[in-house]
Amino acid sequence: MKKGKNICIYTFLLALLISCTEQEKKMSASYKRFRESKIRFDKYNEFNTNFVFKEVTGIGYEEGVTRRDPSSVIMVDSVYYVWYSRPQVNTPLVGPNDATDSTRAFHWDLCDIWYATSTDGYDWEEQGIAVHRGPKGRYDHRSVFTTDILVADGKYYLAYQAAENLKQARWSEWTKTSGDFNKNVIGMSWADNPNGPWHALEEPILKVGPEIAWDGEVVHDPTFVVRNGKYFMYYKSAGRVPWKPNISNGDFTKEFADMPNAIIGVAVSEKPTGPYIKSEYNPVLIGGHECIVWPYRKGVCAFLTEGPEANSIQFSEDGINFYPVKHGLEKPEAGGVYRAGNFTDTDSLPGQGITWGLSHVLGEWNFLRRFECDLSLEKGNRVLADYDK
Ligand code: AAL
């Protein structure tokens, strides 16, 4: 009798297993992807937002002046601060082969880092140069540009791209991986006060990797998240990977897999000024360009503007392993977000999320504008509370 009952149970379980497997087989690729992905449907997705753009004064459009690649925005004593690239000369762009000591190859050539302040985030007052290009012979002589701010241990740190020399080449010989300078590094200056004076470190804090490495040509767009007393500096490189793809369909014949124009890695340090050790997991984001990162909950969010996952928000628990949590957003180009509260201090966790920032608009004269979104932790908690009902 008992044996019969067992047989019945086994048969039932077997039937259940078969029917589950059958069901599995009948899932379409799209449905399967949806089930496996971590993206919740909009109403219950705490990362669901729109980016809305607004003009600003003081650092907005101005004929004859280029301002671009804004840093994160911080608040000190009720005043907002932002830093950005601004070329000292406003000559037309002539390309790398024809540029001289006083004519620009690109918008980001012959730049200094300028800063502006505001009490409402809309009307800005340009304050002047924060970080000057360095003396002849130093790593930052040709241009300092594309900066981000880190506040730690009661001090202010600006990290930025720095270049000693232009790489002379014709426009027609330019390739996406070649880099604009010979070769650029990431430099850093520190100050006791956001208004300066700024002191440049004698040596760069990050250099390109070996020739064959994914970051062998350039290191760009530094931006920070502080986790448990460690400084995570995300940076972009030109997008190639040092392994031969094992793909048999014949699509890939090159030594280097074709990658998006920009991919992101991270380097971690115990101190703001370094040494920054590049993660063995690099690259950590396939795509990006001027990647925006911000601490969120106990992890890190990133917004990617390029690559196969362009215009997506990505989330990572550990700052290394990211997955998309929202696709298809309009992009704040080269955005720097307002880092509210404990955002840039020695530990920015749990991250409070973001609600606005500044991004740039390209054209003959580049300029800054404001973007707004709703990615605050407060809103996230509200959405998830609804979801749990
Ligand atoms: C930007 C950034 C870096 C590049 C150039 C200026 O969008 O990726 O800064 O070098 O373009």
Side-chain angles (χ1 to χ4, degrees):
M1 192 56 189
K2 198 170 172 213
K3 206 171 163 194
K5 201 170 161 194
N6 280 347
I7 289 174
C8 275
I9 291 172
Y10 289 139
T11 318
F12 173 73
L13 287 176
L14 191 64
L16 193 69
L17 188 71
I18 291 171
S19 89
C20 287
T21 322
E22 285 290 309
Q23 256 184 29
E24 198 62 29
K25 266 202 228 150
K26 284 182 190 152
M27 260 194 267
S28 71
S30 179
Y31 180 53
K32 198 155 183 262
R33 233 174 12 253
F34 168 73
R35 285 187 37 150
E36 283 166 2
S37 106
K38 308 213 180 219
I39 304 182
R40 289 196 170 100
F41 188 59
D42 286 357
K43 186 172 169 210
Y44 297 120
N45 186 346
E46 62 184 304
F47 301 100
N48 185 33
T49 194
N50 287 315
F51 287 102
V52 175
F53 298 90
K54 299 196 171 150
E55 300 311 311
V56 296
T57 63
I59 49 177
Y61 183 80
E62 186 180 337
E63 203 170 323
V65 181
T66 272
R67 299 181 181 94
R68 55 176 288 144
D69 289 303
S71 69
S72 303
V73 179
I74 59 166
M75 179 183 259
V76 185
D77 296 334
S78 306
V79 175
Y80 294 115
Y81 285 77
V82 68
W83 290 262
Y84 47 89
S85 319
R86 181 177 160 171
Q88 202 169 314
V89 289
N90 288 335
T91 53
L93 305 183
V94 292
N97 206 40
D98 298 320
T100 63
D101 283 354
S102 56
T103 52
R104 297 181 301 154
F106 335 94
H107 282 300
W108 48 93
D109 190 17
L110 291 177
C111 279
D112 300 292
I113 294 168
W114 290 59
Y115 78 114
T117 57
S118 168
T119 48
D120 62 6
Y122 294 91
D123 295 320
W124 292 85
E125 200 176 326
E126 189 162 70
Q127 300 292 346
I129 297 183
V131 177
H132 290 261
R133 292 182 284 143
K136 203 169 174 55
R138 203 167 75 174
Y139 64 88
D140 53 358
H141 177 60
R142 177 82 200 179
S143 197
V144 287
F145 57 110
T146 313
T147 188
D148 200 22
I149 182 76
L150 170 68
V151 186
D153 301 336
K155 284 194 167 51
Y156 299 85
Y157 300 89
L158 283 172
Y160 41 83
Q161 287 176 221
E164 183 175 351
N165 296 309
L166 261 185
K167 179 170 180 170
Q168 304 278 306
R170 299 190 180 284
W171 281 124
S172 56
E173 289 159 8
W174 224 241
T175 70
K176 69 175 187 178
T177 54
S178 68
D180 302 333
F181 296 97
N182 206 6
K183 295 186 169 191
N184 89 283
V185 295
I186 295 188
M188 181 176 260
S189 288
W190 65 270
D192 288 318
N193 186 295
N195 297 300
W198 292 90
H199 312 280
L201 303 186
E202 278 308 310
E203 293 296 326
I205 56 167
L206 203 76
K207 293 184 178 169
V208 298
E211 201 70 21
I212 186 113
W214 75 281
D215 62 352
E217 290 290 351
V218 295
V219 280
H220 284 170
D221 299 280
T223 179
F224 294 96
V225 167
V226 191
R227 291 173 60 82
N228 308 320
K230 292 203 167 130
Y231 301 92
F232 280 52
M233 183 171 69
Y234 292 86
Y235 66 100
K236 166 200 124 191
S237 192
R240 53 182 208 180
V241 282
W243 62 79
K244 200 165 187 167
N246 185 16
I247 294 179
S248 51
N249 64 9
D251 283 343
F252 285 78
T253 52
K254 293 186 204 142
E255 184 68 23
F256 294 104
D258 271 329
M259 295 292 277
N261 189 19
I263 54 180
I264 309 290
V266 64
V268 181
S269 171
E270 308 273 337
K271 289 191 295 179
T273 49
Y276 283 88
I277 311 295
K278 294 177 183 177
S279 168
E280 291 176 352
Y281 292 91
N282 283 346
V284 296
L285 284 159
I286 305 304
H289 214 120
E290 305 100 337
C291 179
I292 308 174
V293 295
W294 66 97
Y296 188 70
R297 298 194 183 279
K298 290 186 182 150
V300 180
C301 277
F303 184 79
L304 301 188
T305 53
E306 281 181 20
E309 293 177 347
N311 303 346
S312 70
I313 297 175
Q314 310 259 330
F315 179 73
S316 162
E317 298 276 347
D318 58 4
I320 303 280
N321 295 289
F322 287 87
Y323 49 82
V325 288
K326 174 73 190 165
H327 281 298
L329 293 168
E330 208 175 325
K331 61 179 171 198
E333 194 99 41
V337 288
Y338 170 49
R339 301 193 157 221
N342 59 3
F343 232 175
T344 54
D345 219 329
T346 42
D347 204 337
S348 45
L349 304 180
Q352 300 301 308
I354 58 170
T355 54
W356 68 278
L358 293 167
S359 55
H360 71 204
V361 182
L362 303 178
E364 190 181 356
W365 307 107
N366 303 170
F367 63 97
L368 306 185
R369 67 175 173 176
R370 180 180 161 110
F371 64 87
E372 293 175 1
C373 58
D374 193 3
L375 291 165
S376 67
L377 180 60
E378 202 188 320
K379 175 222 166 188
N381 287 340
R382 232 172 29 235
V383 170
L384 294 191
D386 269 1
Y387 185 71
D388 286 341
K389 270 180 201 155

